[in-house]
Amino acid sequence: MAVHTVCETTNLRATHYAARIFDCVADVDIDNGTFGYMDELAEGFSHVYNFKAGTKEGKQVVMAHNPEWTEDTSNRLNQRKDKFFIPAGTVFRAFVIDELDEFALSPEGFNAEPVVDKFVTINANGKLDVADSASEGVAMCGKIMRKRQVGSTLVTGVRTYGYSRMMYTVKVDSLA
C-alpha cells in the first residue's frame, strides 16, 4: 500500500491573508503538497485550470492541496492523511506560493532524506530536491527550518492504533 505525502498549509499567505487559492485539475493522480503551475483553462470550465507538476518560466508556483476529509458520511473510504491522494480528473485547490510562506511536508514530499538547515528546490515531478546550498535562478528556493512529529501510535499485542508522521517545515526564501 502506497504512502502519500502529508502536507500542512497553515502558514501560507493564502490561508491568512487575501492571496489567491485557485481551482485546478490534473490528468494524473497527485499527492497533496505537489508543486506545479497552472496552465490554460481546463476544457468545459470557466475557472478551473490544468495543473502541471514542476515549474515553467513565467508561471506562478502553486501547491496542490485538497482537504482529506469529506462531509459525505455515506462514503466510508480510508481518509487517513498518509493514504490520501487526489485522483486524476478531480478538481482541487491550488495555493499560490509567496516569499516567506511556510508549509510542512512529510518525507514523501522530498526526493532525498530531508534534513534541517538544508535547502530545497522544485523538480520536474513537483517534489522537493534537497541540497546543501541555496540555488539561484530557480522557480523556488526554500530552507528546511524544523522537524517535528505529529500524531501518535499505541502498540498492543494485537495491533497498532493511530499513526504518527515526521513533518519538515520549509520556509520559502526566494521565487523567480
Side-chain angles (χ1 to χ4, degrees), residues 5 9 24 31-32 45 60 80 86 92 100 102 105 109 113 116 119-121 142 162 170-171 175:
T5 305
T9 59
C24 289
D31 284 357
N32 271 341
F45 289 100
Q60 283 182 309
R80 281 178 38 164
I86 303 167
F92 61 88
L100 304 180
E102 290 184 15
L105 296 176
E113 182 65 31
V116 174
F119 294 89
V120 295
T121 57
V170 174
K171 182 177 180 183
L175 293 167

Side-chain angles (χ1 to χ4, degrees), residues 42-90:
E43 187 175 330
F45 289 100
S46 62
H47 67 286
V48 178
Y49 293 87
N50 286 315
F51 177 86
K52 304 292 183 192
T55 60
K56 185 175 183 181
E57 190 173 332
K59 298 283 189 177
Q60 283 182 309
V61 174
V62 297
M63 179 173 57
H65 190 274
N66 224 30
E68 295 86 358
W69 306 102
T70 67
E71 302 269 336
D72 181 8
T73 56
S74 66
N75 185 1
R76 297 290 183 184
L77 295 175
N78 185 349
Q79 295 177 337
R80 281 178 38 164
K81 288 184 176 185
D82 62 344
K83 305 294 183 199
F84 180 80
F85 66 95
I86 303 167
T90 302

